[in-house]
Amino acid sequence: MFDKDRWKEIIEVLTSNLFRTILTAFGVFWGILILIILLAAGKGLENGIKSDFGDIATNTMFMWTRSTTKPYKGLPKGRNFRFKLEDVTSIRDNFSNLRFVSPRNQLGGFGGANNVIRGINAGAYNVYGDYPEIINQDPMSITAGRFINHSDIKEKRKIAIIGEGVKTGLYKKDEKVIGSYIKIQGVSFLVVGTYKKKSNGGDGEEGQKEIYVPFTSFLQAFNRADNVGWMAITANDGSSISDLKEGIVALVKEKRKVHPKDKRAVGHFDLYEQYNRVESLFGAMRFIAYFVGVLVLLSGIIGVSNIMLIVVKERTKEIGIRRALGEKPWSIKLQILMESIFLTITSGMAGITVGALFIYGINKVLEMNGPVDMFLNPSVSLGVVVSALLILVFSGLLAGFIPAQSAIKTRPIDAIRAE
Amino acid sequence: MIEIKDLHKSYKMGSNSLHVLKGINFSVEEGELVAIMGSSGSGKSTLLNILGMLDELDEGSYVLDGVPIKNLNETKAANYRNKFLGFVFQSFNLINYKSAMENVALPLYYQKVGRKERQEKALKYLEQVGLKEWATHLPNELSGGQKQRVAIARAMAAEPKVLLADEPTGALDSKTSYEVMDLIQKINDQGNTILIVTHEPDIADMCKRIVHLKDGVIIEDKKVEQVRAAQYV
């Protein structure tokens, strides 16, 4: 295989008609380049959209209450009800593979009236009563101070963590935020931290205008007894929240005396299902990229086998002479196969190299011009490149096999007589 | 060296078959220089091709140096050709992108002779045919006579038992023809067995034995007084 003379011969044959060789190689080169660029573009789009999801724990569901639509156990339909804190405990007790169960309460809402006052400034903000775990489900980075901790929950401290948007609304520039007090619906809270959320699509601005206070303090300050507004539930990595959803909803229906078949009473939203939908879209995109790329590659390979057929035809006489001089058929076959494999691999490698440079260049441009919406870090996995290379070797073999077979099938005397 | 008994060969041409060789009995001793003569279509080239294992016989037997040549697969045939036979063709059949030396070294390459030894041997044979200083030239830089001499050197390089030449002078003028024949005679003088197919009587006269073929049968097989080609050169 690593015979110097054989390699010399391969080079001689391929360079004897250089223009034709280059044209042929270009077919394979182009095929693999298109494949790589298509896959990289798909991956870039995928990365871009996935980064819009941010670090939100995607294995999460949200659950809230609405009014009942069916009478049950003597209770009328159209009844309003709330989750209770004990529901949280029983969800935790009944489902072992849940990572976080965070009860939440909320004040204000989109377009609500002013509810927060500081000195002469006032603003309308969403105020959440939360447990410390919420930072894992709805990630934010703490820019100053700290987030809620369990002592705050236990001692019902009246503290608040405010968003950067709240800070700009209520404070002057360079004013000290931490240690100051804000009044939420007439109750004073001590500001202990500020946060910033990663931009999440269009509601990036809204995400910075939120105030987080300890869940227990919220209940007490705003007279919520043991009511829970809604819940954010995250499953462990191994199990899917979509599978657990039914059971959790059924459990809280049972606890809240809601008819088991009342579909409207408990509202829920499953981030994982949503995420999966996007995922399957990417699956389809990847499929298209592979499909188109492989077809383009295939046409390149057909080009190679076509040319090999012509090359062998042209060399019929030469092959006849070689056989008369005593070259064995497998040696001729090996020669032709190696020529075609060499041609496909070399041009394939060139395609991969140029493709890699192209991706590198795109990344450089993206880096220099700042992030582009829905496009991030286009890349191709090494596995894909390696399998593309394997396909090339295999198809090079295939492309050479037919002409090689026909080369040794002709009787040497007919081959020598051929002109 | 060569023994042929009752050799038949026919070619299928569409629906009817053409009986080319109709029972040839023929043997050649070591060191002979045989001319096979006949008009075109007499079957002389077919006979040579069968002797050279480039074609298969239909009937009869062929024994080469004690080895029966029968039912060979291509690999075995290639092996025997390489070991036993050297070919010289009318149209030289050199490989045109290889230099004279590489052409001569080719049969040695198929014998898996080492690179260095191959080159040495090739040069030695080129020197014998008087073309040592042309070793690095490509065939299209050589004249017809030179090409044929390279081809002869190539045929001799593997040190074959029998040298088969199919109209070796057919594409050459008479002066170069005699030069080539002179070379062939010298090789024969060293004890090599040579078969030449030709239709030129003067070339045939330079052999030691003339076999006449007509319509697929041997009509004459005679030993002749050899005319030395050297006197014409």
Side-chain angles (χ1 to χ4, degrees):
Chain A
M1 190 71 89
F2 298 102
D3 184 340
K4 194 176 166 192
D5 297 277
R6 197 173 283 286
W7 281 110
K8 193 171 163 235
E9 187 125 352
I10 289 170
I11 301 298
E12 270 172 356
V13 168
L14 291 179
T15 50
S16 68
N17 197 332
L18 200 59
F19 183 63
R20 185 172 68 193
T21 304
I22 288 172
L23 272 186
T24 311
F26 188 76
V28 174
F29 165 83
W30 194 243
I32 199 141
L33 181 64
I34 295 283
L35 178 68
I36 284 180
I37 289 176
L38 272 176
L39 288 179
K43 189 75 188 172
L45 198 59
E46 186 177 334
N47 285 342
I49 290 174
K50 272 191 182 161
S51 87
D52 283 351
F53 266 97
D55 304 324
I56 294 172
T58 45
N59 207 5
T60 298
M61 70 175 279
F62 302 97
M63 188 167 69
W64 59 93
T65 56
R66 295 193 286 230
S67 56
T68 58
T69 58
K70 277 189 166 79
Y72 188 59
K73 286 190 176 170
L75 294 165
K77 70 173 187 177
R79 175 178 64 101
N80 285 317
F81 69 100
R82 296 258 169 265
F83 296 139
K84 300 286 177 187
L85 263 179
E86 56 170 285
D87 298 345
V88 177
T89 331
S90 66
I91 290 174
R92 280 210 190 98
D93 291 345
N94 281 296
F95 296 92
S96 54
N97 38 4
L98 293 178
R99 203 156 139 221
F100 306 117
V101 182
S102 303
R104 307 188 75 182
N105 271 315
Q106 187 181 358
L107 265 186
F110 189 76
N114 285 352
N115 54 3
V116 181
I117 302 166
R118 178 179 177 270
I120 54 165
N121 296 324
Y125 302 108
N126 290 342
V127 181
Y128 295 106
D130 267 314
Y131 275 88
E133 286 81 18
I134 197 71
I135 199 163
N136 295 314
Q137 291 167 294
D138 187 8
M140 55 191 105
S141 42
I142 302 299
T143 49
R146 63 173 178 88
F147 196 65
I148 302 163
N149 62 31
H150 281 284
S151 314
D152 299 331
I153 298 286
K154 215 184 282 169
E155 295 173 19
K156 301 179 183 172
R157 289 177 186 146
K158 286 205 270 300
I159 54 142
I161 289 86
I162 62 171
E164 292 286 328
V166 179
K167 185 177 150 190
T168 46
L170 297 182
Y171 293 82
K172 288 191 204 112
K173 247 188 186 172
D174 307 326
E175 204 171 355
K176 202 167 176 305
V177 177
I178 292 174
S180 66
Y181 283 89
I182 53 172
K183 246 184 198 170
I184 304 171
Q185 288 197 342
V187 182
S188 287
F189 284 81
L190 174 67
V191 178
V192 296
T194 58
Y195 76 87
K196 192 175 180 179
K197 275 188 188 172
K198 221 168 150 192
S199 160
N200 185 358
D203 55 354
E205 200 62 30
E206 201 63 27
Q208 319 300 343
K209 292 188 176 175
E210 288 166 352
I211 297 171
Y212 289 82
V213 302
F215 187 79
T216 47
S217 328
F218 188 101
L219 290 182
Q220 200 171 49
F222 307 115
N223 290 326
R224 293 297 171 92
D226 58 349
N227 285 337
V228 172
W230 45 297
M231 293 187 216
I233 303 170
T234 304
N236 279 331
D237 284 348
S239 43
S240 146
I241 194 71
S242 304
D243 300 340
L244 297 169
K245 192 166 65 179
E246 293 303 318
I248 294 170
V249 171
L251 177 71
V252 292
K253 276 182 184 167
E254 176 60 33
K255 299 247 2 159
R256 288 301 115 220
K257 294 194 177 68
V258 174
H259 196 288
K261 287 187 176 155
D262 191 342
K263 287 206 170 106
R264 300 252 320 140
V266 176
H268 49 81
F269 174 80
D270 179 356
L271 209 55
Y272 189 67
E273 206 176 82
Q274 217 62 18
Y275 188 73
N276 268 353
R277 222 167 274 166
V278 177
E279 223 17 22
S280 66
L281 173 75
F282 289 133
M285 251 168 49
R286 260 197 299 271
F287 173 76
I288 291 171
Y290 274 111
F291 189 70
V292 174
V294 165
L295 284 189
V296 176
L297 194 61
L298 193 68
S299 72
I301 286 152
I302 289 170
V304 172
S305 65
N306 226 334
I307 291 296
M308 287 314 294
L309 215 55
I310 294 174
V311 168
V312 168
K313 194 97 196 148
E314 270 178 6
R315 294 202 298 157
T316 304
K317 193 184 169 105
E318 184 201 316
I319 289 169
I321 299 166
R322 287 163 173 279
R323 289 168 73 184
L325 294 179
E327 183 166 20
K328 290 175 184 65
W330 66 262
S331 169
I332 293 170
K333 218 164 161 178
L334 185 69
Q335 169 80 24
I336 294 166
L337 285 179
M338 280 178 74
E339 277 168 27
S340 68
I341 290 176
F342 178 73
L343 192 63
T344 42
I345 288 188
T346 317
S347 46
M349 286 293 231
I352 288 170
T353 310
V354 173
L357 285 176
F358 185 81
I359 293 170
Y360 178 78
I362 291 280
N363 274 326
K364 263 266 136 58
V365 171
L366 280 181
E367 235 168 73
M368 267 166 16
N369 298 345
V372 176
D373 207 21
M374 302 222 281
F375 199 80
L376 185 78
N377 189 24
S379 56
V380 174
S381 71
L382 196 65
V384 170
V385 173
V386 169
S387 45
L389 211 60
L390 283 180
I391 290 174
L392 279 179
V393 174
F394 180 73
S395 49
L397 268 172
L398 213 64
F401 189 74
I402 300 161
Q405 203 61 27
S406 79
I408 61 164
K409 234 172 47 197
T410 343
R411 288 184 314 160
I413 186 63
D414 294 333
I416 292 173
R417 287 208 189 108
E419 279 309 323
Chain B
M1 182 61 68
I2 291 175
E3 249 192 84
I4 284 178
K5 284 206 180 97
D6 198 28
L7 176 73
H8 285 267
K9 176 75 189 175
S10 52
Y11 288 111
K12 284 224 156 47
M13 300 281 218
S15 54
N16 49 338
S17 75
L18 189 67
H19 204 166
V20 183
L21 297 177
K22 303 165 184 166
I24 305 268
N25 289 293
F26 174 60
S27 62
V28 178
E29 299 301 316
E30 194 170 350
E32 277 197 280
L33 176 55
V34 184
I36 299 172
M37 284 196 74
S39 56
S40 78
S42 60
K44 57 187 192 304
S45 285
T46 306
L47 177 61
L48 197 78
N49 289 335
I50 289 171
L51 291 176
M53 294 175 231
L54 296 173
D55 212 342
E56 283 161 16
L57 50 86
D58 291 344
E59 257 177 67
S61 71
Y62 170 24
V63 178
L64 174 62
D65 197 32
V67 180
I69 306 300
K70 212 180 171 189
N71 297 333
L72 296 179
N73 63 27
E74 232 339 285
T75 309
K76 227 173 188 170
N79 207 3
Y80 282 169
R81 282 198 289 266
N82 188 265
K83 260 203 321 218
F84 291 148
L85 303 168
F87 289 95
V88 176
F89 301 96
Q90 178 176 0
S91 51
F92 323 127
N93 285 348
L94 298 176
I95 291 169
N96 51 23
Y97 59 84
K98 286 184 181 296
S99 70
M101 187 175 71
E102 285 169 332
N103 263 293
V104 176
L106 215 51
L108 298 167
Y109 173 57
Y110 301 140
Q111 286 181 349
K112 308 218 183 315
V113 175
R115 191 178 172 77
K116 220 169 174 183
E117 196 187 339
R118 224 156 59 211
Q119 287 185 346
E120 277 168 19
K121 273 195 171 173
L123 274 179
K124 191 183 100 188
Y125 282 100
L126 275 178
E127 193 172 15
Q128 269 190 25
V129 299
L131 289 172
K132 197 184 179 185
E133 49 285 18
W134 296 84
T136 58
H137 287 246
L138 291 176
N140 57 13
E141 295 163 341
L142 303 174
S143 72
Q146 286 172 324
K147 279 186 204 169
Q148 197 58 296
R149 274 146 66 192
V150 172
I152 290 169
R154 181 175 70 180
M156 294 306 298
E159 285 158 8
K161 305 246 185 256
V162 178
L163 191 69
L164 300 172
D166 189 1
E167 305 263 12
T169 60
L172 304 174
D173 61 58
S174 30
K175 188 170 176 292
T176 11
S177 291
Y178 296 142
E179 281 170 15
V180 167
M181 280 314 290
D182 182 37
L183 186 63
I184 287 174
Q185 284 178 340
K186 277 178 185 155
I187 291 167
N188 176 245
D189 291 344
Q190 290 162 14
N192 293 295
T193 316
I194 302 177
L195 264 74
I196 298 174
V197 163
T198 184
H199 61 268
E200 294 166 79
D202 56 334
I203 299 297
D205 286 340
M206 291 173 183
C207 300
K208 293 174 177 168
R209 177 179 162 195
I210 299 175
V211 175
H212 237 100
L213 243 69
K214 194 178 179 188
D215 297 332
V217 287
I218 297 176
I219 53 166
E220 195 186 18
D221 186 348
K222 61 171 183 194
K223 293 222 158 57
V224 292
E225 190 60 37
Q226 190 181 31
V227 179
R228 295 301 293 191
Q231 58 189 298
Y232 300 106
V233 176

